Each structure stands twice: as structure tokens, then as C-alpha cells.
Amino acid sequence: MVWLLALAIGALYAGGLYMMLRKTMVKLLIGLAMIGNAANLLIFTSSGIVRSKAPLVPKGAKTVEPPFADPLTQALILTAIVIGFAVLAFALALVRRTYEAVGSGGLEDMTEE
Amino acid sequence: MNLLVLPVLVPMVAAASSLLLWKSVSAQRLVALLGALGLALVNGMIFARTQTGEILVLGFGNWPAPFGIAFVADRLAGIMLLATGVIAVAVQIYSFSGIDSDRESFGFYPLTLILLMGVSGAFLTGDIFNLYVWFEVLLIASFVLMSLGGERLQLQGAVKYVTLNLVSSALFLTALGLLNGSLGTLNMAHLSERVAEAGDPGFTTALAVLFLVAFSIKSALFPLYGWLPASYHTPPAAVSALFAGLLTKVGVYALIRTFTLIFTQDPGFTHQLVLLPLAAMTILAGGMGFWVQHDMRRAFAFAIVASVGVALVGLAMTGIPGSEAARTLALAGALAYVFQTMLVKTQLFLMAGIVRRAMGSCDLRTIGGLAATAPWLAAMAMIGLLAFAGVPPLSGFAPKVAVLRASLDLQQGWVAACILAGSVLALAGVARIWSEAFWKKPLHRPDESEQDQPANALARIVPVTGLALCIVALGLGAGTVFDAAEAAARQLLDPSAYIRAVLGGGP
């Protein structure tokens, strides 16, 4: 399972970088989204994938018996997803406005004056 | 109420109130000014408290560290907060006449306040994931400020700025995730302990370099500085002055914090072999760009790059084996340099804004004659320019000499050569800007439509003058400034007090 996730993360990073190096703004955005998702998956994977239960302390006990899923990691990813969503939404609006102002979606058409 | 929450709370309340007052620009102005003054006040109070050597800690929700998020104010955070407060007030006053009414009525003031909130949070947090969150807060605000107005040039600059900063954030997040996976904590004091105990320094060093790349995009380190001169000249002067003073310095702060507190396991590699050459190249690249640019604001953007280089050379030299005194001197020089350069860069960009308003352009080839038409502005510009070049007795001189001395003490002659070459380039650039913009006769007389307001409008000249006075005072009081910086450097180089303050565990 870890190997599968590792390969998926690698593919996402590589694909994202490839898309960012294309010459249009839309692909740039797709690339950014892919890299963001790759980072989130990486956080998830690096903290350890275990077949486990929710980290709830049973009645009468003082601690949780391992194995349990680390709730901190999930909180981190949730935060990162929300931030990534907001940032991407803004980037999308920005790209649209730039497209209207420049009259082209090509990065090479961005010239001074 | 705990003092440490105020640098975030004051701008947040002010931003929320100014959003509620959306219809009335004059009420927003008042709220923004009050917010900036309040921020300067609380930041000054925190600075004063940290000057006793006390490390203030606030655990949110009464969670003990390392389980909850903590705000920590040590001497370094105090210094950065003080500069933030001063810059906030100067830029808010300037924007009363420096920002056009369209931008004012589309949320300029709430956005600057949110940006200030993000910057304060980044300087205060003791948790590295929380640092990421504050980075995003200030980035989102800066994205909108950068593109607010929607001019073509501005939007193009914004696309570059947004892209590079998002890449940097993604790298930061990647490094964070791996760090959390390998060390199991995100509290910086706790990380510092865990790194010292960890059995796998190789992996930690790899992560350190990943953090270095992420932060060096934010702080515009060679060779990742390209986005800065490509975007900083496009928004209005008040916005670029705010960015110039604060944003790259947040990156520098993050580098100083992580590479003194956490990643000290292999300084021969991370500090000496990787960071030091990059920082030295940054000085040269920034200096050369500053020297050749035709647009005054672009030249100043390269000046930011050059000064980031000087500060990071100081940080990098703490990793060189050698006398404790020389390493402290290097870091103290870097801290004093960062503090004064924040004010200098803000002043320069505000000044460029006035020049642009008066001449209709910032192109050094066509403008000119400002020494005759606006003598007061010229005098203030002279102070800022010479402070950047590092001419005594202004503020840039003493810290640069400290870094230079440290590089010689640590037998890094080539670093000293880079710093000196950077100074020569800076001086040549300053001389060129002075003779082109202020002395020579203008080739292009601005007509009435371009010259929309006189060069000496009070709200614009006051902050520039105030910052110039700060720069002179920092230069004249170099001894006092340096003592504070040295104490801060000592505190950073021996992180045990920081760790004790955050994690407890007895005095």
C-alpha cells in the first residue's frame, strides 16, 4: 500500500512540475493543483499507514491501545486542503482576469508594455 | 489578556471593522490608522519585554507544549515585530494619498491589515505548521494586494508572484509532512530536541535543504529571486513598500529561526556548503541588477535581493567552525542589518512612489531634476539610498561591517570580497540613480495630466521623512542597536533557554 501511494505521489509531483513548465496559464494552474495534492498525500503517507481504529479512548481506560490512526496528521491535511482550495480559487480568478487583460492564455505573450 | 495574542488580534479586529465599514472609505482609513498604531504599540511593548532577555510564551487553549500551538516571543521575534509596527504606521499614512480611490474602495485597508496580521503571526508562532498557516494568510492578502486594480502589467506580475510563492508553499508543506513523519512533532522547540536525539542525521539534513529551498524562494535567495524583480514594481508604491519591508524578511526570519533552532545537526553542509555560497551570490546578483536597471523601482527590487544576501551570509557563517565570538558577531550583524533594511527598503519604495507621481514615470532615462524641483524629497532619498549602500554614519554601515569583520575572523576571505563587491555595486547604482533622477535635466517634462499631485503632499512626505529619521537614528545609535542584536544572536545560538521556556522542565 505504501509503495502504491509513494508511486502515486511521485507521479503527482512529476506531472505537476511538467504541467507548470508548459506555456499556458491553465496548465500552470493544473500543475499547481497537482503539486498541492501530492504534498497532502505525502503528509498522509509519511506519518505511517496502518490498518487501525479511530483514536478514541475506550470507557474506563486512560489511553488508546495502539494501533490507532494519528489524528494530528489528518488535522494537518484538512488544514492544508482548505488553504489549498482557497489559494487555487484565487489563482483561477487571477488567471481569468489576466487572460482578459492580455488577450491570450499563453505565458509567452506576457510582455512588458 | 496575554500580550502575545495582541499583534494578531489588533490587526484582525481592525480588518474586520474596516470590512464592516465597507461603504465609507474615510472610516476605513481611520480604522486602518488606528490598527497600525495599535499594532506598533503592542509590538513595541513586546519588544521592550523581550529586551530583558525574558522569553514570553503563550500556549493556546492552555494546552501544554508540545501538544498545543504556542506563541513564543524571544529577542529575535521582538526585533522583527518592532520593525513591522513602524512599517505598518508609515505605509498606512502614505496610502491616504498614495492609493487611488478605486483601490481604497475595493478593500485596500482590510487587506493590508490582514497582511500585517499574517506577518505578526509568522514572527510569533512556535509551531512550524502554524508558521505555514501564517505564511498562507499573508500570502493570500499579498496576492490580492498585488493584483488589486487589475492593470495588465500588474496582473502579469501577479501571475509570476503567485506561481512562485505557491511552489514555495508546496515545498514547505512537503518538507513539513516529511519532518512530522520522521520526528513526530511540529513544535519547533520540541523539533530542536528531537533532531539532536535523532539517529538519522542524513534524512534530517535532506529535509533541511528542502526547507532551505522553500524559504529561499520566499526570501528571494539566489538563484530563486527572479519572481521578485518581475513583480514588485507593478503594484502601487504603498503596496510594494509594504511587501519590500515585510514579505521577503518573513522568509529571512524563517531561515534564521529554523537554521539556528532546528537544523544545526550538520552545519558544515547546510550552512557552510549550501547557504553561504548562495547568500554570497545573492549579494552579487542583487548588486548587479541594482546597478543596471533603468526603472527605479526595479532597481530597488534588486536592492532587496542584495540586502537579503548580506543578512543570510551572516546566518550562514554561524555554521562555520571557529570562535564563538566571530559566529555571534556574524549573526548579530545579520540581525541588525535585517532590522534596518526593513525600514530602508520601505522608505525607498515609498520615495519611488512619490517620484512616479511627480514625474509620471520611474524610468531613470527620462526623469530628472528632482533635486531642484523637490529638494526635501531629494534629501530624504539621499538618506535612504546611502543607508542601502552602507555609507557611514547611516544605519546600513555598522551591521555590514560586523558581517564583514566576522567573515574575516572566520577565514572566509571570498565572502568578504563578495560583500565588498556588493557594496561597490550598490554605491555605483546609488550614484547613478542620484545623478539620473535628481541632478540631470529631465528629458521628458511631465504634462499636467500625468503630474496628478504635487511631489510634497503631506501624507506622502511625512512617512518618508519619518523613516529617514529612523534610519539616521539607527545609524547614530549604532552601538545600542548592535548591543540588542548581539544579545539576540547569543540567545539564538544557544537555543536551550528557548527550549526550556517553551517546553518547561525547570530553569
Side-chain angles (χ1 to χ4, degrees):
Chain A
M1 188 60 189
V2 174
W3 285 105
L4 205 61
L5 278 169
L7 285 174
I9 293 165
L12 276 173
Y13 272 111
L17 197 62
Y18 177 80
M19 291 301 264
M20 291 186 69
L21 296 175
R22 300 292 88 197
K23 286 171 187 164
T24 65
M25 287 190 292
V26 175
K27 287 181 182 166
L28 186 78
L29 272 186
I30 296 174
L32 280 174
M34 285 172 81
I35 288 185
N37 286 335
N40 289 340
L41 261 184
L42 185 82
I43 300 177
F44 183 59
T45 314
S46 71
S47 70
I49 304 284
V50 280
R51 257 179 207 284
S52 52
K53 50 185 186 294
L56 298 174
V57 183
K59 212 171 190 179
K62 284 256 180 335
T63 55
V64 199
E65 291 288 313
F68 59 88
D70 184 358
L72 179 68
T73 317
Q74 295 168 20
L76 298 187
I77 298 171
L78 197 57
T79 314
I81 288 174
V82 173
I83 292 174
F85 172 75
V87 169
L88 202 67
F90 174 77
L92 201 59
L94 176 68
V95 162
R96 194 186 146 76
R97 283 297 304 276
T98 315
Y99 174 78
E100 286 170 1
V102 179
S104 147
L107 289 170
E108 284 175 343
D109 297 321
M110 291 193 181
T111 46
E112 304 279 310
E113 309 313 325
Chain B
M1 198 184 322
N2 195 301
L3 188 59
L4 284 193
V5 77
L6 290 176
V8 171
L9 203 61
V10 169
M12 188 197 279
V13 169
S17 337
S18 59
L19 278 174
L20 290 176
L21 300 165
W22 186 261
K23 292 257 167 67
S24 162
V25 168
S26 50
Q28 284 189 39
R29 285 182 175 183
L30 182 66
V31 169
L33 182 63
L34 287 178
L37 286 172
L39 182 69
L41 182 70
V42 294
N43 285 3
M45 278 159 70
I46 292 178
F47 172 75
R49 285 279 292 277
T50 58
Q51 280 307 297
T52 59
E54 184 188 4
I55 297 178
L56 305 154
V57 182
L58 165 67
F60 281 102
N62 258 340
W63 282 82
F67 302 109
I69 289 169
F71 266 16
V72 189
D74 61 351
R75 286 177 187 268
L76 169 64
I79 291 173
M80 302 304 277
L81 285 175
L82 183 66
T84 308
V86 175
I87 291 170
V89 174
V91 171
Q92 293 296 20
I93 295 176
Y94 180 92
S95 32
F96 295 161
S97 83
I99 290 290
D100 52 284
S101 52
D102 277 353
R103 286 189 176 86
E104 273 190 320
S105 57
F106 274 94
F108 173 81
Y109 293 111
L111 285 165
T112 51
L113 289 163
I114 292 169
L115 182 87
L116 290 169
M117 173 178 89
V119 171
S120 302
F123 288 149
L124 277 170
T125 187
D127 180 284
I128 200 157
F129 189 80
N130 198 230
L131 180 64
Y132 165 77
V133 175
W134 288 121
F135 264 160
E136 296 299 302
V137 169
L138 67 91
L139 275 182
I140 282 273
S142 75
F143 290 167
V144 186
L145 278 175
M146 178 71 93
S147 48
L148 193 66
E151 293 161 21
R152 177 182 162 159
L153 210 58
Q154 220 186 334
L155 289 170
Q156 293 180 2
V159 168
K160 296 167 196 163
Y161 175 80
V162 168
T163 308
L164 261 293
N165 275 296
L166 289 185
V167 170
S168 155
S169 293
L171 287 175
F172 186 13
L173 193 59
T174 305
L176 264 179
L178 290 170
L179 195 66
N180 181 44
S182 75
L183 295 173
T185 182
L186 291 164
N187 181 292
M188 291 201 264
H190 202 208
L191 276 171
S192 174
E193 278 192 342
R194 289 267 172 101
V195 166
E197 297 160 2
D200 189 6
F203 187 64
T204 312
T205 305
L207 287 183
V209 174
L210 202 50
F211 274 107
L212 181 68
V213 174
F215 291 148
S216 52
I217 296 177
K218 299 225 189 277
S219 56
L221 191 69
F222 178 88
L224 303 169
Y225 63 85
W227 59 271
L228 196 152
S231 59
Y232 267 31
H233 63 290
T234 58
V239 174
S240 41
L242 198 61
F243 287 12
L246 297 176
L247 295 195
T248 52
K249 308 312 179 289
V250 178
V252 171
Y253 165 82
L255 279 170
I256 294 177
R257 179 65 80 206
T258 49
F259 281 84
T260 55
L261 182 61
I262 305 174
F263 300 117
T264 50
Q265 78 289 352
D266 189 5
F269 178 74
T270 50
H271 292 61
Q272 196 176 355
L273 200 66
V274 180
L275 186 55
L276 188 56
L278 291 180
M281 288 305 294
T282 309
I283 299 179
L284 294 181
M288 281 187 250
F290 178 66
W291 187 34
V292 301
Q293 286 296 327
H294 291 304
D295 187 302
M296 193 192 269
R297 291 168 304 165
R298 267 182 186 254
F300 291 158
F302 276 101
I304 298 177
V305 175
S307 57
V308 163
V310 175
L312 291 180
V313 158
L315 169 66
M317 284 194 300
T318 61
I320 295 173
S323 77
E324 191 63 38
R327 293 164 60 217
T328 313
L329 183 66
L331 191 57
L335 296 181
Y337 194 82
V338 169
F339 180 76
Q340 62 87 26
T341 201
M342 289 168 85
L343 306 184
V344 172
K345 293 303 173 315
T346 308
Q347 201 247 8
L348 287 179
F349 270 91
L350 291 181
M351 192 269 291
I354 301 181
V355 170
R356 184 151 182 269
R357 280 296 182 93
M359 305 296 296
S361 158
C362 265
D363 193 327
L364 292 172
R365 288 166 296 191
T366 55
I367 62 173
L370 281 165
T373 53
W376 183 253
L377 175 70
M380 294 304 115
M382 191 62 148
I383 292 176
L385 286 169
L386 290 182
F388 164 63
V391 172
L394 294 166
S395 62
F397 174 68
K400 219 182 218 180
V401 169
V403 177
L404 193 70
R405 259 288 296 284
S407 69
L408 292 173
D409 288 352
L410 292 162
Q411 273 100 44
Q412 305 291 322
W414 64 278
V415 175
C418 286
I419 296 174
L420 288 175
S423 298
V424 172
L425 287 169
L427 206 54
V430 164
R432 195 177 62 105
I433 289 179
W434 181 257
S435 61
E436 296 277 353
F438 292 93
W439 262 353
K440 80 155 192 267
K441 281 206 166 63
L443 297 177
H444 159 85
R445 281 263 167 222
D447 48 43
E448 291 300 312
S449 66
E450 281 177 302
Q451 194 179 16
D452 53 359
Q453 269 154 342
N456 51 3
L458 202 60
R460 280 185 251 139
I461 207 73
V462 163
V464 172
T465 309
L467 286 171
L469 288 178
C470 290
I471 293 165
V472 172
L474 285 175
L476 295 179
T480 322
V481 175
F482 194 76
D483 287 344
E486 199 181 12
R490 258 186 240 291
Q491 201 177 45
L492 286 172
L493 287 175
D494 179 18
S496 56
Y498 182 97
I499 296 171
R500 264 204 315 277
V502 177
L503 298 180

